[in-house]
Amino acid sequence: MRHIATAGLRACALAAALWALPGWACGPDFPHELLSDRHASVYELVEGTFDFEASRLAPKSATELKPNENPWQAPGESRIELEQRELGEAGYAKVEAMRLSIDDEQAWAAGEGLSEEVRLYTGGARAFQAGDTVIALQRFDAVLALPAEQQRSRGLWARYMRGRVNLMQAAGGAGVGEAEIAAAVTAAEQDFQAVRAAVAAGASDPLGLAVASYGEEAALQRARGNLAGAVRLYAEQAAHGSASGRASLLFVARDLFADDAALRAALADPLLQQLLASYVYTRTSEFEGTDETGQPKPQTAALERYYAAIEADTAGTIGGVDRVAAAAYRSARYELAGTLAARSQTALAYWVRAKLALRAGDDKTAADAYAQASRAFPRDEDWGVNPNEGYSYEGLKPACRVDGERAILALGRGDYGEALRLFHAGGGQYWMDEAQVAERVLSVDELKRYVDTNVPEPAVAPKANDDGWTPPQPDAQLRALLGRRLLRTGRYAEAVAYFPPMLRDTAAAYAKARLDAPKQGRIERAETLFRAARLARESGMELLALELAPDAALFEGSYELTDPTLDTQDRDLVGADEAQRVIASRPQPVRRFHYRFVAADLANQAADLVPARSQAFAAILCSATGWLINRDPAQARSYYRRYVDHGPYVPWAANFGNHCPAPDFVGAAKRLQFERVRWAKQIVRRYAPFVAGGALVLVVGFVFWRRRRTKPVG
């Protein structure tokens, strides 16, 4: 048996694969940022996704049927893999020999030793591929005539293929009468429905034949001129996750807009009304531009007639009006969009109303409509991935997108805490935007108050999926961002509790070093500062890095991000003091991997505290040099020059900055003690004569004074 994908499905898969190539060549698919173009995010309306619309045209049945033809996910076993596993090498070789036989007699002989069920089915499959429908039908009927316990592995296959044989016969041909065609049609319908019934009753269906049978039966209905019946079947197929079903619905919608008579007829059927509205909303580009001759596309004129029919339907008999309103808004037909959105009370209609109110300058009405849209969209509704310009992607969860747009409006009002709340409500959907507000706009105290009040520590650690990837937890992400920000601003005692458990010991060690250093003696302080420096260099991405620019902790530093820009087309979308806040929250220094410079500076401070002629002085500066040698060669050379000018000879200086030993702080302490004693001796030797002379003068003076006091009076 062979599954043949439709040409359209292959075309869709190829187009999507070609689209993805630039992303693979240049880097990751970066998440879409609403704040990168606030005006567009708020005033433009996202295009829906046809796959989502198609998948909900028909309600999903209570019986779960799984397709085996999704090009973006790992499908189940193929027929070949399944037969190899079931029959073993020898059995599979016989099956292949049967399939390659030139006739039924040769095939039957080649299958000797196989079970009767497998032998009969394979003989029917060979005949079907050879176009011998008579033999194929006989063999499939023979499988279905076996006792139930003897057709468990191929009975469902035989029923499905019997439906395909009847489908071929229903197409008619020379010498085929109307009665025979009608009988074949009825038989094919019964076969495909029987396949679904068997799977619903518990039959194993590793090849996804039940879902595929919807498409086969739909093709039969469409060939008979029953378009509405075909669309219902395609819609049920799509509801079970079938990419083929979704593609078939797309082709039907395109065909309807290419035929005026068909389009008018479709407006009388409720399901076709929804299909048309979904297509218009999600495929805007197919109605724009010109054809190969430079003339407007035929679909453009058809769309105008469609809009006119919807606008004239004041009684509301045509469904999908909210989708049409959204399509009209996207096409800048704002008056029509307002007329249609007013007729609907759906979440999408409220969304359109909100944007129209913004354009009219009615902020209160816009805020109310946005709030209604946010409440009306299910929080788990997911429209799928929508690619944007620049190879960014947006997983369209409309409730999150609406709240993200509301967050932009909150920023414009200067309500920065509300903006963070709305972004965080998206569950990480717009994490880069949330991080920008949390990291660069709110003050540290504002962020801490919000987290302490609204973002508890996750009770359960996230688990890795089958691919080994651990999805981030939005609450943990925001808490860790706060922890890093507290460490950067010197609030060490407060920071540790906000890090995830796996980082808490490291964060505590860094915090302790920074807190202890000022309280210690000279060499101990140097050792503690160097310990903090090493932690900053080795774990700086986790402890000190900014989530976005300049460090890009979000991508583990693999990609360079730029500082936020606030040049939008509408200044009302930027808070009055937002720019000043962004500048004030810049790290010091404003350099990529800024924590390396922090580490090097801490090491330089440690070098200030140890004797310049000690091994520790050289080793500390060696580390500082190495940490910046590839990031800032000029700064690295300054540390090396300091060593050359003041440090001792060390045998490893030829690899200075590349191979650095651990500083010998014990030796540094001895050296410091030695230098102190030597200094004291030098002082004594230099000033001993003056001290002795001064002492003699004091002694003589004292004696003279005593004599004067004890001399008798007389």
Side-chain angles (χ1 to χ4, degrees):
M1 181 182 62
R2 185 163 58 108
H3 290 294
I4 304 176
T6 64
L9 181 57
R10 288 196 298 269
C12 290
L14 177 60
L18 290 175
W19 170 84
L21 284 177
W24 294 339
C26 303
D29 293 324
F30 289 100
H32 183 64
E33 297 176 73
L34 299 180
L35 295 179
S36 63
D37 189 341
R38 301 185 188 191
H39 185 275
S41 295
V42 169
Y43 287 98
E44 295 177 8
L45 179 64
V46 297
E47 186 176 57
T49 56
F50 187 82
D51 280 359
F52 171 78
E53 297 289 338
S55 68
R56 68 173 194 168
L57 283 175
K60 189 174 180 180
S61 66
T63 302
E64 183 178 6
L65 306 177
K66 294 183 179 180
N68 190 9
E69 34 97 277
N70 191 331
W72 310 122
Q73 298 175 1
E77 289 181 299
S78 68
R79 189 270 306 170
I80 292 175
E81 293 170 329
L82 191 148
E83 290 193 323
Q84 287 175 336
R85 178 175 57 81
E86 283 186 346
L87 305 174
E89 184 177 347
Y92 178 71
K94 291 181 179 181
V95 165
E96 285 302 290
M98 289 186 70
R99 290 178 178 274
L100 296 173
S101 298
I102 61 174
D103 56 31
D104 184 63
E105 183 178 355
Q106 186 184 70
W108 190 254
E112 185 175 357
L114 294 171
S115 69
E116 188 174 9
E117 176 188 12
V118 172
R119 194 177 187 187
L120 285 169
Y121 172 78
T122 308
R126 186 218 64 81
F128 178 83
Q129 294 300 326
D132 190 346
T133 57
V134 175
I135 294 296
L137 200 58
Q138 290 175 355
R139 294 301 191 194
F140 295 141
D141 283 342
V143 173
L144 298 172
L146 293 172
E149 65 274 8
Q150 295 180 27
Q151 53 169 294
R152 289 177 179 169
S153 69
R154 298 295 183 272
L156 190 73
W157 298 15
R159 178 66 69 183
Y160 177 82
M161 291 303 295
R162 188 180 187 280
R164 293 190 68 189
V165 171
N166 284 315
L167 186 61
M168 292 175 63
Q169 294 179 342
V176 181
E178 291 294 328
E180 293 173 295
I181 292 176
V185 167
T186 300
E189 291 175 337
Q190 292 174 346
D191 286 328
F192 293 131
Q193 291 167 12
V195 168
R196 297 194 290 273
V199 175
S204 176
D205 185 22
L207 300 182
L209 301 182
V211 174
S213 72
Y214 282 114
E216 301 286 2
E217 188 178 349
L220 176 63
Q221 296 300 331
R222 195 171 182 187
R224 296 176 63 198
N226 183 9
L227 183 60
V231 168
R232 284 176 176 77
L233 288 164
Y234 285 138
E236 289 186 72
Q237 186 181 24
H240 286 289
S242 169
S244 178
R246 297 192 297 267
S248 298
L249 289 167
L250 179 60
F251 300 146
V252 170
R254 286 173 175 159
D255 289 347
L256 289 173
F257 273 94
D259 184 333
D260 279 347
L263 182 60
R264 286 193 300 271
L267 287 172
D269 183 88
L271 184 59
L272 292 176
Q273 293 168 8
Q274 295 290 342
L275 174 62
L276 292 171
S278 297
Y279 174 62
V280 168
Y281 172 43
T282 62
R283 294 287 168 151
T284 307
S285 61
E286 297 190 16
F287 297 96
E288 298 173 343
T290 58
D291 60 19
E292 60 275 6
T293 66
Q295 299 298 315
K297 292 180 180 179
Q299 296 96 316
T300 304
L303 179 62
E304 292 302 319
R305 291 189 288 273
Y306 174 72
Y307 277 148
I310 300 296
E311 189 172 14
D313 179 40
T314 56
T317 59
I318 299 178
V321 67
D322 58 341
R323 264 61 186 162
V324 185
Y329 185 92
R330 283 183 52 78
S331 300
R333 303 185 59 155
Y334 302 124
E335 184 176 352
L336 175 60
T339 298
L340 299 180
R343 298 178 186 174
S344 178
Q345 306 300 316
T346 67
L348 183 57
Y350 286 127
W351 199 359
V352 173
R353 292 186 205 176
K355 291 181 177 292
L356 289 169
L358 282 178
R359 288 188 173 276
D362 188 348
D363 293 345
K364 183 180 185 307
T365 298
D368 291 343
Y370 262 122
Q372 288 176 302
S374 177
R375 290 191 295 268
F377 275 120
R379 301 306 299 183
D380 60 349
E381 185 167 303
D382 189 342
W383 292 1
V385 174
N386 186 28
N388 293 279
E389 293 182 4
Y391 302 115
S392 71
Y393 67 87
E394 181 175 10
L396 282 174
K397 293 184 177 179
C400 300
R401 174 63 190 242
V402 166
D403 283 345
E405 294 178 13
R406 295 171 69 199
I408 293 175
L409 299 177
L411 287 174
R413 299 191 304 270
D415 193 349
Y416 306 126
E418 175 68 0
L420 178 62
R421 184 191 71 79
L422 288 166
F423 276 132
H424 192 66
Q429 185 72 10
Y430 297 104
W431 169 244
M432 293 183 72
D433 298 303
E434 180 182 346
Q436 181 174 327
V437 174
E439 193 164 60
R440 304 302 302 277
V441 179
L442 267 69
S443 70
V444 179
D445 287 329
E446 289 169 341
L447 176 59
K448 187 174 182 299
R449 279 196 299 272
Y450 177 82
V451 171
D452 288 344
T453 304
N454 303 287
V455 188
E457 181 179 355
V460 180
K463 294 183 179 180
N465 61 16
D466 294 339
D467 297 325
W469 180 70
T470 302
Q473 291 178 304
D475 284 354
Q477 282 183 295
L478 188 58
R479 290 178 65 86
L481 183 150
L482 171 59
R484 297 197 302 272
R485 196 170 177 190
L486 288 167
L487 283 185
R488 289 197 303 271
T489 53
R491 296 169 65 166
Y492 307 115
E494 302 169 80
V496 176
Y498 296 97
F499 284 92
M502 67 182 66
L503 284 174
R504 208 160 286 167
D505 288 345
T506 307
Y510 180 80
K512 184 176 188 302
R514 297 304 302 268
L515 289 169
D516 287 350
K519 309 171 188 175
Q520 296 173 326
R522 182 172 166 180
I523 299 301
E524 291 81 2
R525 184 160 73 253
E527 185 174 7
T528 301
L529 285 173
F530 186 72
R531 186 183 311 121
R534 289 194 64 87
L535 286 168
R537 176 60 188 92
E538 295 170 359
S539 300
M541 184 63 74
E542 296 80 11
L543 298 182
L544 298 170
L546 278 78
E547 186 76 356
L548 304 179
D551 302 318
L554 172 61
F555 301 115
E556 298 180 344
S558 297
Y559 300 93
E560 187 168 5
L561 301 178
T562 58
D563 222 37
T565 57
L566 302 178
D567 296 329
T568 69
Q569 296 180 40
D570 193 332
R571 299 301 300 176
D572 290 342
L573 301 178
V574 178
D577 65 339
E578 188 177 347
Q580 291 87 341
R581 285 169 171 257
V582 168
I583 292 171
S585 61
R586 283 175 176 167
Q588 294 300 324
V590 186
R591 302 288 298 273
R592 188 180 182 193
F593 306 129
H594 89 282
Y595 52 84
R596 297 188 185 186
F597 296 87
V598 172
D601 182 64
L602 287 170
N604 197 39
Q605 292 178 43
D608 292 340
L609 299 170
V610 298
R613 304 299 295 176
S614 67
Q615 181 271 358
F617 181 83
I620 290 170
L621 290 177
C622 178
S623 293
T625 301
W627 294 341
L628 295 183
I629 198 169
N630 295 318
R631 178 56 44 189
D632 188 336
Q635 184 66 33
R637 282 194 298 271
S638 73
Y639 294 137
Y640 175 64
R641 175 54 56 187
R642 185 184 181 192
Y643 158 71
V644 170
D645 291 345
H646 304 287
Y649 167 78
V650 288
W652 38 266
N655 288 318
F656 202 85
N658 294 312
H659 300 288
C660 305
D664 180 7
F665 288 105
V666 173
K670 293 178 180 178
R671 177 77 189 187
L672 180 62
Q673 181 65 24
F674 166 76
E675 290 182 354
R676 285 173 173 172
V677 170
R678 185 178 63 181
W679 175 84
K681 289 179 178 179
Q682 289 174 343
I683 292 296
V684 169
R685 282 196 297 270
R686 181 176 300 176
Y687 297 105
F690 301 102
V691 172
L696 180 61
V697 170
L698 289 173
V699 169
V700 172
F702 177 75
V703 170
F704 180 76
W705 177 77
R706 288 284 296 173
R707 285 183 176 181
R708 295 250 345 217
R709 290 200 55 176
T710 57
K711 185 177 180 180
V713 178

